[in-house]
Amino acid sequence: MNDAWPETVGGWELARHGDIENYRRRLTNNVTVTAVWENKAGTGRLKAHVETLGVGRTLTSSRTDFTDKEAFWTAARCVLDMAANLPSVGAGNESPAESALAGEVAGSVEAEPGSNGVPEAELTFTLVDGRTVTLILSDEQAFDLTSAIDGLDRHVWFEQRDESGDESGDEDAPADDVEVEPVEVPDVEEVRAAPDTGHDVVTLLESQFGVTEDYLMAHVDWSALIVVGEPAVSSLLQRGAELQAALAPRWYPVVAQRPGEQWIVLRRTGLYYGRE
């Protein structure tokens, strides 16, 4: 299928038929990911298949219909990530797909929050040949990118600054005849690291709040944990300030109102936290 669909939303081609939304992503390695959401029924389906000479071969598909749109799009992103990392399929060439674009970046990089209703970031690069490239990153990918760039700063550019400082001399170094008072070392025996991964949060909930895994649900990408059932929810609501302090800075709690009950959703912020 080489036809272009009528709309493009968040990088997905979109064709609407009544209350049905058909989404498609065609990749350079000859794999196509399709996502179908029926608004009236509130259900969705996913599939990744090979397109070659008009004959397709299904690589993976959802076994049952999704009934939650957020979970539906989280799974769609996972399928897309999997498909994009496959080698070229079905055309006799088993080498990875070639890079679509490469070039030197000119000027600054524009960074904006996403606009598709899910946590994401949009980075726009302007190349020296005048073309622009916009990358849409998920919450976790944006966090990994900032951490990787911070690592470059510490291990590459920081060393270069050190070498530059050695040539000009360390102006802040104390003179030999100046007495330097000893610095008091703080007591850090009671310091506890805040939870990073979803598994860290599970451990924290049980050790500090007595909430076991029996009361927990997790998103497929571990970007959020959901506490359901009593007495776990009521206990955490009563200790809300303590819970928020224990989770910060990488996680934060919100209360979700469900029919006849409340859930506590623990979400990952995906923000940049400075040097670690």
Side-chain angles (χ1 to χ4, degrees), residues 17-23 35-45 65-67 69 72:
H17 299 284
D19 65 331
I20 300 176
E21 300 173 356
N22 294 276
Y23 296 87
V36 179
W37 181 261
E38 299 184 35
N39 286 295
K40 185 175 182 180
T43 59
R45 299 178 300 280
D65 288 353
F66 288 88
T67 58
K69 199 165 188 179
F72 168 75

Side-chain angles (χ1 to χ4, degrees), residues 28-31 50-52 57 59 83 86-95:
T28 57
N29 59 0
N30 212 35
V31 176
V50 179
E51 286 196 16
T52 173
R57 174 167 59 91
L59 300 177
L86 292 175
S88 292
V89 179
N93 180 9
E94 292 304 318
S95 62

Side-chain angles (χ1 to χ4, degrees), residues 198-272:
H199 297 286
D200 293 339
V201 176
V202 173
T203 302
L204 172 73
L205 290 174
E206 183 170 2
S207 62
Q208 185 170 343
F209 297 93
V211 176
T212 64
E213 296 183 21
D214 297 335
Y215 297 96
L216 298 179
M217 296 189 298
H219 281 200
V220 293
D221 61 351
W222 286 89
S223 61
L225 286 168
I226 305 172
V227 182
V228 298
E230 296 294 345
V233 172
S234 297
S235 174
L236 292 181
L237 288 175
Q238 294 173 359
R239 303 169 64 181
E242 180 184 354
L243 175 64
Q244 186 170 3
L247 294 172
R250 289 178 171 82
W251 298 78
Y252 65 97
V254 295
V255 178
Q257 300 293 337
R258 306 295 295 179
E261 62 178 339
Q262 288 181 315
W263 291 358
I264 296 181
V265 182
L266 311 178
R267 297 186 179 275
R268 188 176 180 89
T269 61
L271 298 178
Y272 175 63

Side-chain angles (χ1 to χ4, degrees), residues 118-136:
V118 295
E120 61 182 22
E122 296 182 2
L123 304 181
T124 300
F125 301 83
T126 300
L127 306 184
V128 292
D129 62 6
R131 292 178 294 177
T132 60
V133 180
T134 298
L135 306 179
I136 300 176

